[in-house]
Amino acid sequence: MGRWQPNARGRLEKAAMELYAERGFDQTPVAEIAERAGLTERTFFRHFADKREVLFAGSAQLQDLLVEIVAGTPASVKPIDAVAAGIDAIGAALQESRGRAFARQRQSIVAASAELRERELNKLSSLAGALADTLRERDVDDPAASLLAEIGIAVFRISFERWVSAPRDQDLRVLMRESLDEVRSLAADGARVGAARSEPVGHAA
Amino acid sequence: MGRWQPNARGRLEKAAMELYAERGFDQTPVAEIAERAGLTERTFFRHFADKREVLFAGSAQLQDLLVEIVAGTPASVKPIDAVAAGIDAIGAALQESRGRAFARQRQSIVAASAELRERELNKLSSLAGALADTLRERDVDDPAASLLAEIGIAVFRISFERWVSAPRDQDLRVLMRESLDEVRSLAADGARVGAARSEPVGHAA
């Protein structure tokens, strides 16, 4: 590849993903990413704040989309259905933008690095925080807002992992709907233990 | 305080918590913790692997307790009730061992440091992972095992935060039961969206 720079960002991303997969994230200097892409380090830093940004660049848009969809559902929609609509939208966006091959490669790169796993946890935690804020603006009280946000992000994350690791391509949105139904079944299953009543939790001890 | 060392661990912990609260975690060197406790750095490192250990020393026992309780519930107990029993037990242990004043101080120290917040997220993530493994051993399939583990840890974390930040002392276990009921109500509330089944589940609301 020459020194001209059309699609510099895409070339840098491709080179970075290849190198992270081949050698590991920690062992890949920016200089080598730039070299493989046929570009300079300076160009790299015009497109990405650091090496991690290559893997996390999409997360701000994902969060904006989630918030926008949940905030935009009519007030008559039940909170859990608003959350379902939100994660459905980000699932669709993920599938359509980069697809499963990218997601799978990214997932294995993240899994191999403690630093990246921490960053991923952080990202999911701020996604849950933004979702909880949006639910509060829809007049969902706490702790319901926080709980529902955590459930939504758990459904998203666990379905995403299933999608990425499945032997064949499935629809991420179908997996998320299945997981959400699973949550409903699990929750409907046990004994109601509310503080208003007096019996102990479960009958485990 | 003299140079004799009874309760060295307790003295180091007290000195560390004071200094973390006064100056911030990042600005507190081990040498000063040891000095305030009237002990040596060497003694500090006999009790704690590093500065963070002072704040996270209890988490391994907490995880062991959670796993033990969930694994020990009879097979007839519904998975969600087994999880409820597990978090109930760790809530009780937290209340009885150090109490709310310690938890509150610890919480504000953790909240003030990005490094500690990441460690906290990591700890909660491994707690959820251990809980999911335990549920799998109870023959709960995936994704139910992962989802239920995430829900259990979310209930635990959110109730813990409410307990710590409430204006007056409440029973952490009561808060956890309330949150778990909230999850049931939220889950029972929306439209069932799954592909496979057609009737709605749950009538808890």
Side-chain angles (χ1 to χ4, degrees), chain B residues 1-35:
Chain B
M1 252 180 212
R3 292 267 154 206
W4 51 291
Q5 306 192 4
N7 193 25
R9 189 183 173 90
R11 283 156 57 193
L12 287 162
E13 184 185 276
K14 181 169 176 288
M17 295 294 284
E18 286 170 8
L19 285 163
Y20 296 167
E22 286 164 25
R23 309 204 188 152
F25 174 80
D26 298 331
Q27 285 74 48
T28 301
V30 167
E32 296 198 26
I33 300 171
E35 196 192 329

Side-chain angles (χ1 to χ4, degrees), chain B residues 16 21 24 29 50 75 77 84 153 185 187:
Chain B
D50 56 33
V77 173
I153 299 307
S185 301

Side-chain angles (χ1 to χ4, degrees), chain B residues 39 51 76 91 105 161-162 171 187 195:
Chain B
L39 296 164
K51 280 201 308 176
S76 61
Q105 189 179 31
E161 282 167 12
R162 285 180 76 202
D171 188 336

Side-chain angles (χ1 to χ4, degrees), chain A residues 52 78-81 84 114 117-119 121-122 125 140 142-148 150-151 154-155 157-158 162 174 177-196 198-205, chain B residues 52 69 72-74 77-81 84-85 88 118-119 121-122 125 140 142-144 146-148 150-151 154-155 157-158 162 174 177-195 197 201-202 204-205:
Chain A
R52 298 191 302 184
K78 301 280 190 191
I80 195 168
D81 292 331
R117 287 197 306 272
E118 284 192 356
R119 175 83 181 259
L121 285 176
N122 254 318
S125 166
V140 179
D142 268 311
S146 309
L147 287 164
L148 190 47
E150 293 290 339
I151 290 171
V155 164
R157 184 180 65 71
I158 289 164
R162 286 179 76 201
V174 170
R177 287 168 203 175
E178 283 175 5
S179 287
L180 206 52
D181 277 350
E182 193 70 69
V183 168
R184 292 179 213 272
S185 301
L186 287 163
D189 207 21
R192 205 170 162 82
V193 289
S198 53
E199 323 93 79
V201 171
H203 2 75
Chain B
R52 299 192 300 185
I69 296 291
T73 52
V77 173
K78 301 280 190 189
I80 195 168
D81 292 331
D88 193 76
E118 283 190 356
R119 174 82 181 260
L121 285 175
N122 254 318
S125 167
V140 180
D142 269 311
S146 309
L147 287 165
L148 189 49
E150 292 290 339
I151 290 170
V155 165
R157 184 180 64 72
I158 289 164
R162 285 180 76 202
V174 170
R177 287 168 204 178
E178 282 174 7
S179 288
L180 206 53
D181 276 351
E182 193 70 70
V183 169
R184 291 179 213 271
S185 301
L186 288 163
D189 208 23
R192 203 170 164 85
V193 290
R197 302 169 209 189
V201 159

Side-chain angles (χ1 to χ4, degrees), chain B residues 67-100:
Chain B
V67 165
E68 184 192 313
I69 296 291
V70 174
T73 52
S76 61
V77 173
K78 301 280 190 189
I80 195 168
D81 292 331
V83 169
I87 61 174
D88 193 76
I90 61 175
L94 273 171
Q95 283 195 139
E96 282 153 29
S97 62
R98 317 274 198 114
R100 200 167 79 114

Side-chain angles (χ1 to χ4, degrees), chain A residues 45-106:
Chain A
F45 287 113
R46 266 209 305 280
H47 289 279
F48 300 102
D50 56 33
K51 280 199 312 175
R52 298 191 302 184
E53 264 315 287
V54 179
L55 298 158
F56 293 93
S59 51
Q61 289 105 294
L62 223 55
Q63 183 166 314
D64 290 348
L65 178 62
L66 176 65
V67 164
E68 185 193 313
I69 296 292
V70 174
T73 52
S76 61
V77 173
K78 301 280 190 191
I80 195 168
D81 292 331
V83 169
I87 60 174
D88 194 76
I90 60 175
L94 273 172
Q95 282 195 140
E96 282 153 29
S97 62
R98 318 275 198 111
R100 200 166 79 113
F102 177 89
R104 187 196 279 267
Q105 190 179 28
R106 180 185 176 285

